[in-house]
Amino acid sequence: MKNRSHYAITKKWLYRQVYSSGSKTVTEYCIVYIRKNDLPEGITRCGFTVTKKVGSAVIRNKMKRRMRDIFFRLYGNIRLGYDMVIVAKPVIVNASFQKLSEDIYHGLAVNDMLDS
């Protein structure tokens, strides 16, 4: 696996593309947006959004680290060639790592993003 930043969505216009033309799945703790990308390498990239409604900067960063960790643990099972944005809901603060992991897994499975 290359550097983790290689798999990140960092540009505002990329987030907007995924929001506007991607499929959307709402789960208990997050909202998952998925859109096919046109990268020749077949890389799946992911961006994370945690708003101020979730809590202080410390809490928001903790939630982003958790979501990022879950994404990279699942990366070997995720279909290639997609852009994803995972938006945290305010109730994410109450979720254990296991529950959040199951929630994101469910959001990806509903969109048929996981390889068998």
Side-chain angles (χ1 to χ4, degrees):
M1 181 180 278
K2 296 180 182 179
N3 185 352
R4 283 187 169 203
S5 64
H6 189 73
Y7 302 96
I9 295 177
T10 56
K11 304 291 183 193
K12 192 174 193 174
W13 63 271
L14 280 172
Y15 276 92
R16 286 191 177 148
Q17 268 188 343
V18 176
Y19 289 142
S20 65
S21 63
S23 65
K24 173 182 169 181
T25 302
V26 179
T27 64
E28 185 178 355
Y29 298 113
C30 58
I31 304 167
V32 180
Y33 293 88
I34 298 174
R35 177 183 183 272
K36 185 112 174 98
N37 67 32
D38 300 324
L39 297 177
E41 306 93 33
I43 293 174
T44 294
R45 299 179 295 188
C46 192
F48 305 95
T49 303
V50 183
T51 64
K52 287 185 179 180
K53 291 178 186 178
V54 172
S56 68
V58 173
I59 300 297
R60 293 194 308 268
N61 286 327
K62 180 179 179 181
M63 295 303 115
K64 279 191 270 190
R65 283 193 307 271
R66 282 184 174 187
M67 292 190 302
R68 197 176 305 118
D69 187 33
I70 292 166
F71 171 73
F72 282 108
R73 287 177 186 217
L74 292 174
Y75 194 82
N77 299 326
I78 295 175
R79 293 174 60 201
L80 300 178
Y82 290 87
D83 287 339
M84 300 187 311
V85 175
I86 301 175
V87 181
K89 291 180 171 181
V91 295
I92 197 171
V93 179
N94 304 325
S96 67
F97 186 85
Q98 181 65 33
K99 287 279 191 189
L100 182 57
S101 183
E102 291 169 4
D103 196 57
I104 291 175
Y105 185 90
H106 173 72
L108 296 175
V110 166
N111 281 305
D112 195 31
M113 283 295 297
L114 300 172
D115 289 333
S116 300

Short mmCIF file of all heavy atoms in Angstrom, two decimals, residues 34-45 75 78-84 113:
data_model
loop_
_atom_site.label_atom_id
_atom_site.label_comp_id
_atom_site.label_asym_id
_atom_site.label_seq_id
_atom_site.Cartn_x
_atom_site.Cartn_y
_atom_site.Cartn_z
N ILE A 34 -20.82 7.46 -2.25
CA ILE A 34 -19.89 6.71 -3.10
C ILE A 34 -20.12 7.10 -4.56
O ILE A 34 -21.26 7.20 -5.01
CB ILE A 34 -20.09 5.19 -2.92
CG1 ILE A 34 -19.78 4.79 -1.49
CG2 ILE A 34 -19.23 4.40 -3.90
CD1 ILE A 34 -20.08 3.38 -1.15
N ARG A 35 -19.01 7.30 -5.27
CA ARG A 35 -19.06 7.68 -6.68
C ARG A 35 -17.90 7.02 -7.41
O ARG A 35 -16.79 6.97 -6.90
CB ARG A 35 -18.94 9.20 -6.81
CG ARG A 35 -18.90 9.72 -8.21
CD ARG A 35 -18.70 11.24 -8.18
NE ARG A 35 -18.71 11.80 -9.49
CZ ARG A 35 -17.64 11.92 -10.26
NH1 ARG A 35 -16.47 11.51 -9.84
NH2 ARG A 35 -17.73 12.45 -11.47
N LYS A 36 -18.14 6.52 -8.61
CA LYS A 36 -17.08 5.92 -9.43
C LYS A 36 -16.12 7.02 -9.84
O LYS A 36 -16.53 8.11 -10.24
CB LYS A 36 -17.70 5.27 -10.67
CG LYS A 36 -16.72 4.51 -11.52
CD LYS A 36 -17.04 3.04 -11.45
CE LYS A 36 -16.17 2.27 -12.40
NZ LYS A 36 -15.02 1.68 -11.76
N ASN A 37 -14.81 6.75 -9.74
CA ASN A 37 -13.83 7.75 -10.19
C ASN A 37 -13.21 7.28 -11.51
O ASN A 37 -13.42 6.15 -11.94
CB ASN A 37 -12.76 8.03 -9.13
CG ASN A 37 -11.85 6.85 -8.84
OD1 ASN A 37 -11.55 6.04 -9.70
ND2 ASN A 37 -11.41 6.76 -7.60
N ASP A 38 -12.47 8.15 -12.14
CA ASP A 38 -11.89 7.86 -13.45
C ASP A 38 -10.38 7.70 -13.39
O ASP A 38 -9.68 7.92 -14.37
CB ASP A 38 -12.25 8.99 -14.43
CG ASP A 38 -13.75 9.13 -14.61
OD1 ASP A 38 -14.43 8.09 -14.59
OD2 ASP A 38 -14.23 10.27 -14.76
N LEU A 39 -9.86 7.33 -12.24
CA LEU A 39 -8.42 7.19 -12.10
C LEU A 39 -7.94 5.93 -12.81
O LEU A 39 -8.51 4.85 -12.63
CB LEU A 39 -8.02 7.13 -10.62
CG LEU A 39 -8.32 8.38 -9.80
CD1 LEU A 39 -7.95 8.14 -8.36
CD2 LEU A 39 -7.57 9.56 -10.35
N PRO A 40 -6.89 6.03 -13.61
CA PRO A 40 -6.42 4.86 -14.35
C PRO A 40 -5.81 3.77 -13.45
O PRO A 40 -5.80 2.60 -13.82
CB PRO A 40 -5.36 5.43 -15.29
CG PRO A 40 -4.93 6.71 -14.68
CD PRO A 40 -6.13 7.23 -13.91
N GLU A 41 -5.34 4.13 -12.28
CA GLU A 41 -4.71 3.16 -11.39
C GLU A 41 -5.73 2.29 -10.66
O GLU A 41 -5.36 1.33 -10.00
CB GLU A 41 -3.83 3.85 -10.33
CG GLU A 41 -2.79 4.78 -10.88
CD GLU A 41 -3.28 6.22 -10.95
OE1 GLU A 41 -4.08 6.62 -10.09
OE2 GLU A 41 -2.88 6.91 -11.88
N GLY A 42 -7.00 2.65 -10.72
CA GLY A 42 -8.02 1.90 -10.00
C GLY A 42 -7.91 2.05 -8.50
O GLY A 42 -8.01 1.09 -7.74
N ILE A 43 -7.70 3.26 -8.04
CA ILE A 43 -7.54 3.54 -6.61
C ILE A 43 -8.89 3.97 -6.03
O ILE A 43 -9.62 4.73 -6.66
CB ILE A 43 -6.49 4.64 -6.38
CG1 ILE A 43 -5.12 4.14 -6.79
CG2 ILE A 43 -6.49 5.12 -4.94
CD1 ILE A 43 -4.05 5.19 -6.74
N THR A 44 -9.19 3.49 -4.85
CA THR A 44 -10.35 3.97 -4.13
C THR A 44 -9.87 4.98 -3.10
O THR A 44 -9.00 4.68 -2.29
CB THR A 44 -11.10 2.81 -3.44
OG1 THR A 44 -11.64 1.97 -4.45
CG2 THR A 44 -12.22 3.32 -2.56
N ARG A 45 -10.44 6.19 -3.19
CA ARG A 45 -10.06 7.25 -2.25
C ARG A 45 -11.22 7.52 -1.30
O ARG A 45 -12.37 7.27 -1.64
CB ARG A 45 -9.75 8.54 -3.02
CG ARG A 45 -8.61 8.39 -3.99
CD ARG A 45 -8.36 9.65 -4.74
NE ARG A 45 -9.50 9.98 -5.60
CZ ARG A 45 -9.51 10.96 -6.48
NH1 ARG A 45 -8.45 11.73 -6.62
NH2 ARG A 45 -10.57 11.19 -7.23
N TYR A 75 -9.70 -1.71 3.61
CA TYR A 75 -9.28 -1.36 2.26
C TYR A 75 -9.02 -2.58 1.37
O TYR A 75 -9.35 -2.57 0.20
CB TYR A 75 -8.04 -0.46 2.26
CG TYR A 75 -7.80 0.16 0.92
CD1 TYR A 75 -8.49 1.30 0.53
CD2 TYR A 75 -6.91 -0.41 0.00
CE1 TYR A 75 -8.30 1.86 -0.71
CE2 TYR A 75 -6.72 0.15 -1.25
CZ TYR A 75 -7.42 1.29 -1.60
OH TYR A 75 -7.24 1.84 -2.84
N ILE A 78 -12.34 -3.63 -0.16
CA ILE A 78 -13.16 -2.63 -0.86
C ILE A 78 -12.86 -2.66 -2.35
O ILE A 78 -11.71 -2.77 -2.76
CB ILE A 78 -12.89 -1.22 -0.28
CG1 ILE A 78 -13.34 -1.16 1.18
CG2 ILE A 78 -13.60 -0.15 -1.09
CD1 ILE A 78 -13.01 0.15 1.87
N ARG A 79 -13.92 -2.57 -3.15
CA ARG A 79 -13.75 -2.55 -4.60
C ARG A 79 -12.98 -1.30 -5.01
O ARG A 79 -13.14 -0.23 -4.43
CB ARG A 79 -15.13 -2.56 -5.28
CG ARG A 79 -15.84 -3.89 -5.05
CD ARG A 79 -17.24 -3.91 -5.58
NE ARG A 79 -17.26 -3.67 -7.00
CZ ARG A 79 -18.34 -3.25 -7.66
NH1 ARG A 79 -19.46 -3.01 -7.01
NH2 ARG A 79 -18.30 -3.07 -8.95
N LEU A 80 -12.15 -1.45 -6.03
CA LEU A 80 -11.29 -0.36 -6.48
C LEU A 80 -11.99 0.52 -7.51
O LEU A 80 -12.91 0.09 -8.19
CB LEU A 80 -10.00 -0.93 -7.06
CG LEU A 80 -9.15 -1.76 -6.10
CD1 LEU A 80 -7.93 -2.31 -6.82
CD2 LEU A 80 -8.73 -0.94 -4.91
N GLY A 81 -11.51 1.77 -7.61
CA GLY A 81 -12.01 2.69 -8.62
C GLY A 81 -13.15 3.58 -8.17
O GLY A 81 -13.95 4.04 -9.00
N TYR A 82 -13.24 3.86 -6.88
CA TYR A 82 -14.33 4.68 -6.36
C TYR A 82 -13.80 5.79 -5.46
O TYR A 82 -12.72 5.68 -4.89
CB TYR A 82 -15.32 3.82 -5.56
CG TYR A 82 -16.12 2.89 -6.42
CD1 TYR A 82 -15.63 1.63 -6.75
CD2 TYR A 82 -17.36 3.26 -6.92
CE1 TYR A 82 -16.35 0.77 -7.55
CE2 TYR A 82 -18.09 2.41 -7.72
CZ TYR A 82 -17.58 1.16 -8.04
OH TYR A 82 -18.29 0.32 -8.85
N ASP A 83 -14.59 6.85 -5.35
CA ASP A 83 -14.36 7.90 -4.37
C ASP A 83 -15.48 7.79 -3.33
O ASP A 83 -16.65 7.60 -3.69
CB ASP A 83 -14.40 9.29 -5.00
CG ASP A 83 -13.17 9.58 -5.84
OD1 ASP A 83 -12.14 8.92 -5.63
OD2 ASP A 83 -13.25 10.47 -6.71
N MET A 84 -15.12 7.90 -2.07
CA MET A 84 -16.10 7.81 -0.99
C MET A 84 -15.92 8.98 -0.04
O MET A 84 -14.80 9.43 0.17
CB MET A 84 -15.91 6.52 -0.19
CG MET A 84 -16.06 5.27 -0.98
SD MET A 84 -16.04 3.77 0.03
CE MET A 84 -14.62 3.99 1.05
N MET A 113 -19.94 -2.46 -2.21
CA MET A 113 -18.55 -1.98 -2.33
C MET A 113 -17.53 -2.99 -1.81
O MET A 113 -16.34 -2.76 -1.92
CB MET A 113 -18.37 -0.68 -1.55
CG MET A 113 -18.93 0.53 -2.24
SD MET A 113 -18.08 0.88 -3.77
CE MET A 113 -16.44 1.23 -3.18
#
